[in-house]
Amino acid sequence: AAEVERSLQVIQRTHPTTLAEALRPWKGERVFWYKRREEINFLFRDYRLMVERRGNDPPLHRVERNINIIANRVRLLEGRRAMTIQKRVRGMIGRRFIRQYRIEHGFMLQKRCAAVFRLQRAVRQWMARRVRHMLHVGRETKRIASAFKLERERTQRAKELSRLHDKLKSAYCDDVRKERMGRRLFPAFRDMKSVELSSRTTSQAKTLGTWHRERDQEAAERKSRLERRYEEIQSKARG
């Protein structure tokens, strides 16, 4: 009897929607309930007296079993709905936490990325300056090398010219000394106004003249090549 009273209290406190769902057939097992409001209130006050006044139809054990089944269904439905509410609340709390966590994580990531980006920018600037310096040094090295090559060629040419002049001067001085010595030793040479240059002096002079002609010819060829190159560049620019 106490269990039935507790079941009636459970049924009385439940929501009408839950009670209507509990009265539906479950797994082929059917239950009954009263339709009139007066019968329901009388059932909650004293179900034994109500069964007696209805002529024990249905019998008391069946009414008690029916009340216990309905109460168990109500408890089960309330538990399911409570679990659903808890799941939804936990999901809402979890989503709110995840949203806040993502915001905080985004802030932390933004701060770290800002530091990383600043470091990357500094490294890229340093690399760019280094490459620029290397290119500048390479261009300067090429320019200096070309200037040094030209200066060395000019110096070598000047040395070669000086050497040829010295050879020519030495040969001429030898001829002059020989002429003077001949005039002193042989009076017949005193009346001679000039003397022909020796073969050595003539060959040195020819060598010097040939070198001068070759140098002028190379300069003329270099100038003609530069002029042709300039004309080609001008034609491409106009085209």
Side-chain angles (χ1 to χ4, degrees):
E3 183 179 359
V4 176
E5 291 294 337
R6 288 194 295 272
S7 299
L8 286 172
Q9 292 177 4
V10 170
I11 296 171
Q12 189 176 5
R13 289 195 303 269
T14 189
H15 195 271
T17 306
T18 307
L19 180 60
E21 188 173 354
L23 294 176
R24 295 175 183 175
W26 285 24
K27 298 180 182 179
E29 186 177 6
R30 301 180 66 86
V31 294
F32 63 90
W33 194 245
Y34 303 97
K35 296 182 179 180
R36 291 190 301 174
R37 189 65 184 173
E38 292 80 7
E39 292 179 348
I40 295 173
N41 293 333
F42 197 14
L43 178 68
F44 289 147
R45 284 199 306 270
D46 190 357
Y47 71 95
R48 292 177 178 272
L49 182 60
M50 179 180 176
V51 171
E52 290 179 1
R53 291 186 178 183
R54 287 178 63 89
N56 204 13
D57 185 23
L60 181 61
H61 66 87
R62 185 178 176 186
V63 173
E64 291 178 348
R65 181 173 178 274
N66 184 72
I67 292 172
N68 289 330
I69 292 173
I70 294 173
N72 291 333
R73 291 183 179 182
V74 168
R75 293 191 187 97
L76 182 61
L77 290 172
E78 288 180 350
R80 289 179 181 176
R81 293 182 178 179
M83 289 174 61
T84 303
I85 294 171
Q86 288 177 358
K87 287 191 294 184
R88 292 186 178 181
V89 171
R90 285 195 296 268
M92 181 180 64
I93 295 173
R95 287 190 294 271
R96 186 179 299 171
F97 173 77
I98 291 296
R99 189 183 302 111
Q100 189 66 26
Y101 171 77
R102 288 180 177 177
I103 292 172
E104 297 295 334
H105 185 267
F107 288 157
M108 294 296 295
L109 185 62
Q110 185 177 2
K111 291 178 66 177
R112 293 181 180 178
C113 288
V116 173
F117 292 159
R118 193 178 298 111
L119 181 61
Q120 288 180 351
R121 184 166 59 251
V123 172
R124 285 195 295 269
Q125 289 175 358
W126 175 79
M127 292 179 65
R129 286 194 294 269
R130 183 180 178 185
V131 172
R132 180 179 175 275
H133 177 70
M134 292 175 65
L135 292 175
H136 181 70
V137 169
R139 287 194 295 268
E140 288 295 323
T141 304
K142 290 181 180 179
R143 186 181 64 80
I144 294 171
S146 61
F148 175 75
K149 185 177 179 181
L150 292 174
E151 186 65 25
R152 186 176 59 183
E153 291 178 356
R154 192 180 298 110
T155 304
Q156 289 178 356
R157 290 175 182 174
K159 288 181 179 180
E160 184 68 19
L161 181 61
S162 178
R163 186 179 63 83
L164 292 175
H165 277 290
D166 292 341
K167 283 185 178 183
L168 182 60
K169 184 177 180 181
S170 176
Y172 182 75
C173 290
D174 289 343
D175 291 339
V176 171
R177 282 197 297 269
K178 289 177 182 179
E179 182 184 356
R180 288 178 181 178
M181 184 62 68
R183 288 185 179 183
R184 289 177 183 177
L185 294 177
F186 304 100
F189 285 99
R190 292 177 183 175
D191 297 333
M192 295 179 64
K193 295 182 180 179
S194 62
V195 65
E196 293 182 358
L197 296 176
S198 64
S199 61
R200 179 169 172 266
T201 306
T202 305
S203 64
Q204 293 294 334
K206 289 182 179 179
T207 303
L208 183 61
T210 303
W211 188 85
H212 277 289
R213 285 194 299 274
E214 290 178 355
R215 187 184 66 176
D216 295 339
Q217 187 177 359
E218 290 178 359
E221 290 178 356
R222 191 181 300 109
K223 184 177 180 181
S224 63
R225 285 199 301 269
L226 290 175
E227 289 178 354
R228 287 197 299 270
R229 181 60 180 169
Y230 179 74
E231 290 176 358
E232 291 178 359
I233 294 172
Q234 290 290 335
S235 62
K236 288 182 180 179
R238 286 198 289 285

